[in-house]
Amino acid sequence: GQQVMQIPQYQHVQEGEDFTTYCNSSTTLSNIQWYKQRPGGHPVFLIQLVKSGEVKKQKRLTFQFGEAKKNSSLHITATQTTDVGTYFCAGDGNTGKLIFGQGTTLQVKP
Amino acid sequence: DGGITQSPKYLFRKEGQNVTLSCEQNLNHDAMYWYRQDPGQGLRLIYYSQIVNDFQKGDIAEGYSVSREKKESFPLTVTSAQKNPTAFYLCASSMRAGQTYEQYFGPGTRLTVT
């Protein structure tokens, strides 16, 4: 069945360093969503990408959707302690159901 | 104040007992979902419902049951047939199913079965 793989599983960075998480699907996606889950919390929607090659920015966060619509990335510039949490990508392969990646847990050392 | 609520936040049960987790939303969303979250495994879909009185199995439905008698409510029963029920359970809703809308998650219920 459809799989969405996310790497790395964990990332520890010094505050101010950049961070990137990558998401790869076994099949072409109609769109991809990104969520953030703070420690002890629940996932919160960040953004959705729909078009091939699409790039969207939210302040220090940059989201990309690959040309083949099978991969995506989230890049955070100059991390802050408020960026701590687990970032999930979730893809829809035209089934109407989201398939979530395993998540990347980001730790930021002040 | 619109949102999605789950209760209780923590739940403890003895092995062999069925337990029902509550999920309510007042967002007027058609679609509702139940996910299970285990460490390092992301979110796995248990059941989802696109409309009242209809629901479909997700990827890990064995040992679980649901009902959708009202638009606002989508309770999940963890039965004694579920081999590893201890987990964090998340309920979510979205405007509609069929297309991909953003999902709104409840605060979750952490179930411990001993």
Side-chain angles (χ1 to χ4, degrees), chain A residues 68-84:
Chain A
K69 300 184 78 172
K70 294 180 74 172
N71 58 71
S72 181
S73 65
L74 158 59
H75 180 82
I76 302 178
T77 304
T79 53
Q80 300 175 0
T81 54
T82 53
D83 296 324
V84 164

Side-chain angles (χ1 to χ4, degrees), chain B residues 48-85:
Chain B
Y48 65 106
S49 168
Q50 300 182 356
I51 199 167
V52 175
N53 291 323
D54 185 57
F55 49 83
Q56 286 83 39
K57 292 182 179 180
D59 301 316
I60 56 164
E62 186 176 347
Y64 300 98
S65 65
V66 293
S67 63
R68 186 89 187 275
E69 296 176 3
K70 298 187 300 182
K71 188 174 186 177
E72 302 79 22
S73 179
F74 191 40
L76 173 75
T77 297
V78 184
T79 75
S80 56
Q82 168 50 232
K83 290 184 171 53
N84 297 298

